[in-house]
Amino acid sequence: MQINGFKVLIIGFVWPEPTSTAAGQRMLQLIEQLLKAQYKITFASTAKKTELTFDLSKIRVAEKEITLNSSSFDDFVRELNPDVVFFDRFIIEEQFGWRVEENVPNALRVLNTEDLHSLRNSREKALKQKINFSTDFWKAQDITKREIASILRSDISVIISSHEMHLLEDEIGLDKNLLLFLPFMFSKVDDSPLSFESRKDFVCIGNGKHAPNVDVIVTLKKDIWPIIRKQLPDAQLHIYGAYLPEHVNQMHNVKEGFIIQGWAENDLDVMSKSKVCLAPINYGAGIKGKLFTAMRSGTPSVTTTVGAEGILFGESWSGVITKNTLDFVENAVKLYTDKAEWKQAQKIGFKIINNAYNATDLGSVLLDKIADVRKTLSQHRSTNFIGSVLQHQSMKSTKYMSRWIALKNKK
């Protein structure tokens, strides 16, 4: 059930950068689906644009710069009068949710979680404190309570990972009607990329502003690559990513075969020329864009249980999921040198993309959910009593703090 002509406002945490972040690619996937239904889209953000910011006007999306803690947003959103409002990450819902609720109360409120930020934050905290991570530890964190409250205040929350759906439904006990499982969406994979013989070297891709990616690079440099290099002295590891911090750039060492390349304009092209993708991900959340890029380009990967989390199609993986450093190294070398093993891993990757993440199959899921909930919005909200309580109570502090800041700025 799709209704054409809705006006949609997306409030972005940042402006989309599809050539530098998986989140940017994901945002464009969502926008593409909305445009297919002929929705009129306005994308607004308080963030500053960069040289890598995607020009949304090229795809008929209006752009609007907005100000945090300012009543100018109230005027803007009332005039726009959108039918649907997307909050990009829970922090944006905290900042603007109460303004949307006050000024356009009949607008459908959709939270695009990207990933559960509280899960990533909790895992990082446990790692730094050198304690075992658990769901109880996650549930005990203040940021988790904030994120769950944001989900409850929203009419729909888009969840990208099957593992995170499990946490929200089974560990927290959230109403399934509030959640929409919608992973990455891709066109069918071309099954004739570069051959095993025509590829060379290892690759790792990750935006430097994302802390788990920097941790991956450090892990490769200190613990993994020196051992691989001893076994494969002619191989190189190429590190790609926008916004890499200076201490990562200083890791560049041609003699050691550890090559810092920086931003890649086309990650699929870079990945398709490489033989194996290395992703020793120690913490994080959601599903990992770099591993999808690897599968789409026919490049087997070596990763961890955190890296593969939420992506697995049955028990298969396009490469190897490892348990420790030595296991990681052993399987990386084997994939790099064993053509039969490599070809089988590549075949599994194509199967995962085409069967579980096919855009044709997933494309209507979001549009159908929006149309269904929009049609029965009053009834939908009446069944979410806890959400209405949170809307009434917990957002008051955010509201009055924002107004105090606005008044202070005027003075």
Side-chain angles (χ1 to χ4, degrees), residues 7-9 40 42 75-83 104:
K7 285 190 292 184
V8 177
L9 170 64
K40 300 175 182 177
T42 299
D75 299 331
F76 158 68
V77 78
R78 279 197 304 269
E79 182 178 351
L80 183 64
N81 193 26
D83 301 292
V104 283

Side-chain angles (χ1 to χ4, degrees), residues 247-299:
H247 74 274
V248 167
N249 288 324
Q250 290 177 2
M251 294 179 185
H252 178 81
N253 191 313
V254 176
K255 185 177 180 180
E256 295 175 359
F258 198 89
I259 313 299
I260 305 297
Q261 299 281 14
W263 174 64
E265 183 175 0
N266 189 322
D267 58 350
L268 275 173
D269 181 63
V270 164
M271 191 72 78
S272 67
K273 295 176 181 176
S274 305
K275 190 169 283 187
V276 177
C277 171
L278 301 182
I281 299 170
N282 293 314
Y283 67 95
I287 50 180
K288 314 304 182 292
K290 60 178 66 62
L291 297 177
F292 283 99
T293 301
M295 286 187 280
R296 291 170 65 206
S297 62
T299 307

Side-chain angles (χ1 to χ4, degrees), residues 334-379:
K334 186 175 182 180
L335 266 179
Y336 194 84
T337 56
D338 189 326
K339 180 178 178 179
E341 191 87 8
W342 187 90
K343 287 289 291 182
Q344 179 61 21
Q346 182 187 74
K347 183 178 179 180
I348 292 172
F350 292 152
K351 183 178 179 181
I352 291 173
I353 292 293
N354 291 336
N355 291 355
Y357 298 93
N358 191 296
T360 302
D361 298 332
L362 295 170
S364 63
V365 173
L366 176 64
L367 304 178
D368 288 348
K369 183 71 171 181
I370 289 174
D372 289 344
V373 177
R374 187 78 173 81
K375 185 177 180 180
T376 60
L377 188 55
S378 296
Q379 181 182 351

Side-chain angles (χ1 to χ4, degrees), residues 13-29:
F13 179 70
V14 294
W15 295 94
E17 293 186 6
T19 62
S20 71
T21 69
Q25 295 173 14
R26 166 64 166 182
M27 178 54 70
L28 283 192
Q29 288 180 356

